[in-house]
Amino acid sequence: MTAMTAMAAMTAMTQTVQAPPTAMAEPVAAGCGEAAGLMGGGRAAGELGLSRGEFARAVQLGIVRAGPQGAAGAARYTRTELDRVRSAEGFPDALRERVETVAGAEAAAAVLGVGPSRFTRLARCGRLTPVGYRINRYRAVVWLYLTAELRDFAAREPRMLRGSAPPGDRELIESRADLRPRKWRERHVGLLLRRTADPWERAAVLASVLPEDDVRATVPDAAERILLGALAPPPPYGHPQVAAAAEVAARLLRAGPPDEIGWYRTSLDFALTGARGQSKSTGERGPT
């Protein structure tokens, strides 16, 4: 749902606190998006010489910026944006290198030149941040890492690849800590916040990683909660559709440790203060 659509819905909610019926979308003539210089993700990926997964990663990282949404809310991309990406130095090889990922400890360890157990220790201690995830057939999380970041880490921290763990890491290991989900959420939220300057949409990003009880406690206004839900970002690319795997992945999307939840609640409260202030100044409740 776009910000303008959410604003229209919010106007009705302030009177009834009920979701309005969905309006029928006007038919769009085939090919009109392309004629206007807009195209879908599949065509945009092909024009950049990327697979769908590589293109999704480029969008996630902000390398490719989405244009106006289509009638059904699907992302569209402008010819001008694709030309900008193509004009970058080293295209297309440099672009592919920036979005290349490896999956799992064994493949990531090979990039670093260490064993899988050492890599897992580094990742669990928060030394390396996943960029995505998959859920395998055993319902286990397989983390994805940017190859370029792994190479940078190996060049920057060679001592971390040999010898014993530093004291801080040893404490985390002894406590059986695993910072991978938290570090991924931190990156995920940060990338989403970079995509929008709208205060309500930014608040929705922060609310999306909080458990429902914490959202209700932080946002007592039911109409505001409906708005934040309408503006919530979709699950990341690659999020499983099979129910059993989706249940596992859904746990990755929500903050867990109390201090992490507290940080997002404080951030959400701050974001809502700004969003409400903007609405007050414009006379409209919701995104403008």
Side-chain angles (χ1 to χ4, degrees):
M1 178 180 290
T2 64
M4 291 302 295
T5 303
M7 180 176 66
M10 190 63 184
T11 301
M13 291 172 203
T14 57
Q15 299 173 358
T16 65
V17 198
Q18 295 178 355
T22 303
M24 294 294 291
E26 295 183 6
V28 179
C32 66
E34 285 78 359
L38 296 172
M39 66 191 77
R43 179 173 172 183
E47 295 212 1
L48 293 178
L50 300 176
S51 68
R52 290 298 296 266
E54 289 171 332
F55 182 77
R57 194 71 62 208
V59 174
Q60 174 198 7
L61 297 174
I63 299 170
V64 178
R65 300 174 300 218
Q69 291 184 344
R76 293 290 184 265
Y77 303 88
T78 66
R79 175 72 57 190
T80 300
E81 175 64 8
L82 298 190
D83 289 343
R84 182 191 67 81
V85 175
R86 273 193 292 257
S87 68
E89 184 178 356
F91 178 86
D93 293 341
L95 174 59
R96 290 197 188 97
E97 289 176 3
R98 292 177 69 184
V99 299
E100 180 185 6
T101 60
V102 291
E106 188 170 341
V111 177
L112 290 183
V114 299
S117 60
R118 179 177 287 270
F119 173 82
T120 300
R121 188 204 79 199
L122 291 169
R124 289 175 66 99
C125 291
R127 300 289 180 175
L128 299 159
T129 301
V131 73
Y133 58 81
R134 295 175 186 164
I135 308 300
N136 67 16
R137 60 180 177 174
Y138 304 108
R139 302 182 193 175
V141 180
V142 178
W143 293 106
L144 309 180
Y145 297 87
L146 288 171
T147 304
E149 288 187 352
L150 296 178
R151 291 176 179 143
D152 288 345
F153 179 83
R156 187 177 66 253
E157 301 284 356
R159 288 183 293 181
M160 297 295 296
L161 308 182
R162 303 289 182 270
S164 59
D169 287 13
R170 287 201 295 271
E171 291 180 9
L172 290 170
I173 294 168
E174 290 171 3
S175 66
R176 304 177 71 87
D178 186 356
L179 299 182
R180 290 173 295 184
R182 181 170 184 162
K183 296 288 285 185
W184 174 79
R185 282 190 293 271
E186 181 181 326
R187 166 175 245 166
H188 179 60
V189 168
L191 290 170
L192 289 173
L193 290 175
R194 283 170 51 185
R195 295 187 193 180
T196 179
D198 185 282
W200 284 103
E201 291 179 350
R202 292 175 66 85
V205 169
L206 296 165
S208 71
V209 294
L210 281 170
E212 291 184 10
D213 289 346
D214 290 281
V215 174
R216 283 194 292 269
T218 309
V219 191
D221 187 318
E224 287 186 346
R225 292 198 304 272
I226 293 172
L227 174 61
L228 294 176
L231 293 173
Y237 180 83
H239 191 80
Q241 301 300 312
V242 178
E247 182 180 353
V248 174
R251 293 196 288 268
L252 303 176
L253 302 178
R254 297 287 183 267
D259 64 318
E260 184 189 13
I261 290 174
W263 189 90
Y264 283 116
R265 284 187 59 166
T266 300
S267 299
L268 174 58
D269 187 59
F270 182 79
L272 285 171
T273 299
R276 292 164 182 148
Q278 183 198 63
S279 297
K280 183 177 180 180
S281 67
T282 60
E284 296 285 351
R285 191 179 190 188
T288 57

